[in-house]
Amino acid sequence: AKERDALRQLYRTGDYADIRATAESTPQGLRLDFHVRRNYFNNAIRVEGLKDPPSEPAALASLRLGLGEPFRESALQEAIERLKETLHNEGLYQAQVTWKLTPQEGTRQMDVMITVVPGPRALVGSFVLQNKTPYPDEEVIHRSKIKLKNQLTTARLGKATERLKKYLVNQGYLGAAVLITPGPYDPQTNVVPLKYEINAGPRVSIEIVGAHLS
Protein backbone atom coordinates (compact mmCIF):
# COMPACT_ATOMS: atom_id res chain seq x y z
CA ALA A 1 0.00 0.00 0.00
CA LYS A 2 2.86 2.38 0.82
CA GLU A 3 4.52 1.54 -2.49
CA ARG A 4 1.35 2.37 -4.44
CA ASP A 5 0.96 5.62 -2.52
CA ALA A 6 4.58 6.56 -3.25
CA LEU A 7 4.10 5.84 -6.97
CA ARG A 8 0.98 8.01 -7.08
CA GLN A 9 2.82 10.87 -5.40
CA LEU A 10 5.75 10.61 -7.81
CA TYR A 11 3.47 10.60 -10.86
CA ARG A 12 1.47 13.50 -9.40
CA THR A 13 4.53 15.75 -9.46
CA GLY A 14 4.56 15.57 -13.27
CA ASP A 15 8.36 15.35 -13.25
CA TYR A 16 8.59 11.74 -14.38
CA ALA A 17 7.56 9.96 -17.56
CA ASP A 18 8.13 6.40 -16.38
CA ILE A 19 8.40 4.95 -12.89
CA ARG A 20 8.90 1.38 -11.76
CA ALA A 21 9.67 -0.09 -8.37
CA THR A 22 11.88 -3.06 -7.50
CA ALA A 23 12.43 -4.73 -4.13
CA GLU A 24 15.60 -6.43 -2.88
CA SER A 25 16.40 -8.17 0.39
CA THR A 26 19.38 -6.82 2.31
CA PRO A 27 20.87 -7.67 5.75
CA GLN A 28 19.22 -4.52 7.02
CA GLY A 29 15.81 -5.51 5.61
CA LEU A 30 13.86 -4.98 2.42
CA ARG A 31 15.15 -2.24 0.12
CA LEU A 32 12.72 -0.59 -2.31
CA ASP A 33 14.19 1.17 -5.33
CA PHE A 34 12.27 3.53 -7.61
CA HIS A 35 13.60 3.70 -11.18
CA VAL A 36 12.43 6.86 -12.93
CA ARG A 37 12.82 8.64 -16.25
CA ARG A 38 12.52 12.35 -15.85
CA ASN A 39 10.14 14.28 -18.06
CA TYR A 40 11.09 16.97 -20.51
CA PHE A 41 8.69 19.85 -21.05
CA ASN A 42 7.69 21.61 -24.27
CA ASN A 43 9.68 24.78 -24.74
CA ALA A 44 10.43 26.48 -28.07
CA ILE A 45 8.33 25.03 -30.91
CA ARG A 46 8.96 26.40 -34.39
CA VAL A 47 7.90 25.59 -37.94
CA GLU A 48 10.11 26.64 -40.85
CA GLY A 49 9.84 26.32 -44.62
CA LEU A 50 6.11 27.04 -44.92
CA LYS A 51 4.59 28.41 -48.11
CA ASP A 52 1.72 30.60 -46.89
CA PRO A 53 -1.01 29.44 -46.56
CA PRO A 54 -0.97 28.09 -43.94
CA SER A 55 0.77 30.81 -41.99
CA GLU A 56 3.20 29.94 -39.21
CA PRO A 57 0.65 30.86 -36.47
CA ALA A 58 -1.93 28.60 -38.14
CA ALA A 59 0.57 25.75 -38.40
CA LEU A 60 1.59 26.13 -34.75
CA ALA A 61 -2.05 26.20 -33.68
CA SER A 62 -2.72 22.94 -35.54
CA LEU A 63 0.04 21.22 -33.53
CA ARG A 64 -1.71 21.87 -30.20
CA LEU A 65 1.53 21.40 -28.24
CA GLY A 66 1.17 23.53 -25.13
CA LEU A 67 4.17 25.40 -23.78
CA GLY A 68 5.28 23.89 -20.49
CA GLU A 69 3.34 20.65 -20.96
CA PRO A 70 5.24 17.37 -20.53
CA PHE A 71 6.92 16.34 -23.77
CA ARG A 72 5.61 13.07 -25.22
CA GLU A 73 6.80 11.36 -28.39
CA SER A 74 3.25 10.10 -28.98
CA ALA A 75 1.85 13.63 -28.62
CA LEU A 76 4.42 14.92 -31.12
CA GLN A 77 3.45 12.23 -33.65
CA GLU A 78 -0.21 13.21 -33.32
CA ALA A 79 0.75 16.88 -33.70
CA ILE A 80 2.65 16.13 -36.90
CA GLU A 81 -0.39 14.33 -38.33
CA ARG A 82 -2.57 17.37 -37.54
CA LEU A 83 -0.04 19.63 -39.27
CA LYS A 84 -0.06 17.38 -42.35
CA GLU A 85 -3.86 17.57 -42.45
CA THR A 86 -3.65 21.37 -42.29
CA LEU A 87 -1.15 21.35 -45.17
CA HIS A 88 -3.43 19.06 -47.21
CA ASN A 89 -6.38 21.41 -46.63
CA GLU A 90 -4.28 24.15 -48.22
CA GLY A 91 -3.50 22.00 -51.25
CA LEU A 92 -0.01 20.95 -50.13
CA TYR A 93 -0.52 17.22 -50.52
CA GLN A 94 3.12 16.54 -51.38
CA ALA A 95 4.57 18.36 -48.38
CA GLN A 96 7.39 16.60 -46.54
CA VAL A 97 7.60 17.14 -42.78
CA THR A 98 10.63 16.39 -40.61
CA TRP A 99 11.56 17.49 -37.11
CA LYS A 100 14.54 17.86 -34.83
CA LEU A 101 14.50 17.62 -31.02
CA THR A 102 16.95 19.59 -28.89
CA PRO A 103 16.72 18.60 -25.20
CA GLN A 104 18.01 21.07 -22.60
CA GLU A 105 19.29 18.79 -19.86
CA GLY A 106 19.77 21.52 -17.29
CA THR A 107 16.23 22.87 -17.48
CA ARG A 108 14.52 19.67 -18.70
CA GLN A 109 13.07 21.65 -21.60
CA MET A 110 12.59 20.27 -25.10
CA ASP A 111 12.94 22.48 -28.18
CA VAL A 112 11.17 21.22 -31.30
CA MET A 113 12.09 22.46 -34.78
CA ILE A 114 9.75 21.28 -37.53
CA THR A 115 10.84 21.68 -41.14
CA VAL A 116 8.33 21.66 -44.00
CA VAL A 117 9.25 21.15 -47.66
CA PRO A 118 5.87 22.21 -49.12
CA GLY A 119 6.17 21.04 -52.72
CA PRO A 120 3.73 22.25 -55.41
CA ARG A 121 0.23 23.29 -54.42
CA ALA A 122 -2.58 21.20 -55.92
CA LEU A 123 -4.70 22.66 -58.73
CA VAL A 124 -8.41 22.48 -59.44
CA GLY A 125 -8.84 19.76 -62.07
CA SER A 126 -12.60 19.43 -62.53
CA PHE A 127 -16.02 20.22 -61.07
CA VAL A 128 -18.58 17.75 -59.75
CA LEU A 129 -21.96 19.32 -59.02
CA GLN A 130 -24.99 18.30 -57.02
CA ASN A 131 -26.97 21.27 -58.25
CA LYS A 132 -30.43 21.68 -56.77
CA THR A 133 -31.01 25.16 -58.11
CA PRO A 134 -32.83 26.45 -61.20
CA TYR A 135 -29.53 27.60 -62.68
CA PRO A 136 -27.31 25.54 -65.01
CA ASP A 137 -24.03 24.10 -63.73
CA GLU A 138 -22.01 26.51 -65.87
CA GLU A 139 -23.72 29.50 -64.26
CA VAL A 140 -23.12 28.16 -60.78
CA ILE A 141 -19.42 27.62 -61.46
CA HIS A 142 -19.15 31.06 -63.06
CA ARG A 143 -20.76 32.71 -60.03
CA SER A 144 -18.28 30.99 -57.70
CA LYS A 145 -15.39 32.55 -59.68
CA ILE A 146 -13.25 29.41 -59.41
CA LYS A 147 -11.52 28.33 -62.59
CA LEU A 148 -9.70 25.21 -63.69
CA LYS A 149 -6.02 25.24 -62.70
CA ASN A 150 -6.65 27.63 -59.82
CA GLN A 151 -4.54 26.73 -56.78
CA LEU A 152 -6.46 25.00 -54.00
CA THR A 153 -6.65 26.90 -50.70
CA THR A 154 -9.24 27.05 -47.94
CA ALA A 155 -9.53 30.81 -48.45
CA ARG A 156 -10.43 30.35 -52.14
CA LEU A 157 -13.09 27.76 -51.31
CA GLY A 158 -14.47 29.93 -48.51
CA LYS A 159 -14.80 33.00 -50.73
CA ALA A 160 -16.43 30.94 -53.50
CA THR A 161 -18.95 29.57 -51.02
CA GLU A 162 -19.78 33.08 -49.81
CA ARG A 163 -20.24 34.37 -53.38
CA LEU A 164 -22.65 31.58 -54.32
CA LYS A 165 -24.59 31.93 -51.08
CA LYS A 166 -24.90 35.70 -51.56
CA TYR A 167 -26.00 35.29 -55.17
CA LEU A 168 -28.75 32.81 -54.29
CA VAL A 169 -29.97 34.92 -51.37
CA ASN A 170 -30.17 37.96 -53.66
CA GLN A 171 -32.34 35.88 -56.02
CA GLY A 172 -34.78 35.20 -53.18
CA TYR A 173 -33.45 31.83 -51.98
CA LEU A 174 -32.95 32.92 -48.39
CA GLY A 175 -32.43 29.38 -47.08
CA ALA A 176 -29.87 28.37 -49.70
CA ALA A 177 -27.13 25.97 -48.59
CA VAL A 178 -23.74 25.85 -50.33
CA LEU A 179 -20.86 23.47 -49.65
CA ILE A 180 -17.68 23.27 -51.76
CA THR A 181 -15.17 20.57 -50.86
CA PRO A 182 -12.10 19.03 -52.54
CA GLY A 183 -12.35 15.49 -53.83
CA PRO A 184 -9.66 12.77 -53.99
CA TYR A 185 -6.19 14.04 -54.79
CA ASP A 186 -4.44 12.67 -57.88
CA PRO A 187 -0.66 12.62 -57.21
CA GLN A 188 0.13 11.88 -60.87
CA THR A 189 -1.37 15.13 -62.14
CA ASN A 190 -1.36 17.14 -58.87
CA VAL A 191 -5.04 18.04 -59.26
CA VAL A 192 -8.21 17.65 -57.22
CA PRO A 193 -11.85 17.80 -58.31
CA LEU A 194 -14.12 20.24 -56.51
CA LYS A 195 -17.49 18.99 -55.34
CA TYR A 196 -20.32 21.55 -55.25
CA GLU A 197 -23.34 20.66 -53.12
CA ILE A 198 -25.93 23.37 -53.60
CA ASN A 199 -29.55 23.41 -52.49
CA ALA A 200 -31.46 26.59 -53.24
CA GLY A 201 -34.55 25.62 -51.28
CA PRO A 202 -37.85 27.45 -51.75
CA ARG A 203 -37.82 30.90 -53.24
CA VAL A 204 -39.23 33.67 -51.08
CA SER A 205 -41.26 36.33 -52.82
CA ILE A 206 -41.61 39.71 -51.15
CA GLU A 207 -44.76 41.69 -51.78
CA ILE A 208 -44.67 45.40 -51.04
CA VAL A 209 -48.04 46.85 -50.19
CA GLY A 210 -48.37 50.63 -50.28
CA ALA A 211 -50.97 52.69 -48.51
CA HIS A 212 -52.45 55.94 -49.82
CA LEU A 213 -53.04 58.58 -47.24
CA SER A 214 -55.30 61.56 -47.92
Side-chain angles (χ1 to χ4, degrees), residues 113-133:
M113 173 61 77
I114 299 172
T115 301
V116 177
V117 180
R121 201 179 301 273
L123 306 178
V124 176
S126 61
F127 302 98
V128 180
L129 275 75
Q130 292 182 5
N131 183 9
K132 297 180 180 179
T133 76

Side-chain angles (χ1 to χ4, degrees), residues 21-200:
T22 60
E24 181 180 350
S25 295
T26 70
Q28 292 77 29
L30 189 67
R31 188 181 77 189
L32 188 62
D33 294 327
F34 292 94
H35 305 266
V36 303
R37 179 166 59 87
R38 292 187 63 193
N39 267 330
Y40 282 90
F41 298 89
N42 296 334
N43 186 38
I45 301 173
R46 296 184 176 88
V47 182
E48 65 175 11
L50 289 169
K51 182 163 61 176
D52 194 354
S55 64
E56 184 176 0
L60 289 172
S62 72
L63 294 172
R64 298 205 293 265
L65 293 175
L67 183 65
E69 292 181 354
F71 172 80
R72 298 279 190 274
E73 287 279 358
S74 58
L76 177 60
Q77 292 289 346
E78 293 171 0
I80 294 298
E81 290 305 313
R82 288 191 292 269
L83 174 59
K84 288 180 178 179
E85 182 178 355
T86 298
L87 293 169
H88 292 175
N89 291 340
E90 297 295 350
L92 299 174
Y93 291 89
Q94 298 183 25
Q96 302 295 318
V97 181
T98 57
W99 60 93
K100 178 183 177 182
L101 303 178
T102 305
Q104 308 291 342
E105 184 64 35
T107 59
R108 305 303 296 177
Q109 293 178 328
M110 183 68 76
D111 296 340
V112 183
M113 173 61 77
I114 299 172
T115 301
V116 177
V117 180
R121 201 179 301 273
L123 306 178
V124 176
S126 61
F127 302 98
V128 180
L129 275 75
Q130 292 182 5
N131 183 9
K132 297 180 180 179
T133 76
Y135 307 106
D137 291 353
E138 294 78 8
E139 177 69 10
V140 169
I141 295 171
H142 172 71
R143 292 289 177 178
S144 74
K145 295 187 178 181
I146 293 184
K147 299 179 181 180
L148 293 177
K149 303 305 181 182
N150 278 164
Q151 291 188 342
L152 176 67
T153 65
T154 54
R156 175 165 277 131
L157 298 188
K159 289 178 181 178
T161 300
E162 291 175 6
R163 291 189 193 102
L164 274 178
K165 175 82 172 180
K166 183 178 180 180
Y167 172 73
L168 291 171
V169 168
N170 288 342
Q171 304 308 307
Y173 299 99
L174 305 186
V178 179
L179 180 64
I180 304 177
T181 55
Y185 171 68
D186 184 353
Q188 300 299 322
T189 57
N190 192 39
V191 300
V192 293
L194 288 187
K195 183 178 181 181
Y196 286 56
E197 298 176 76
I198 312 162
N199 191 341

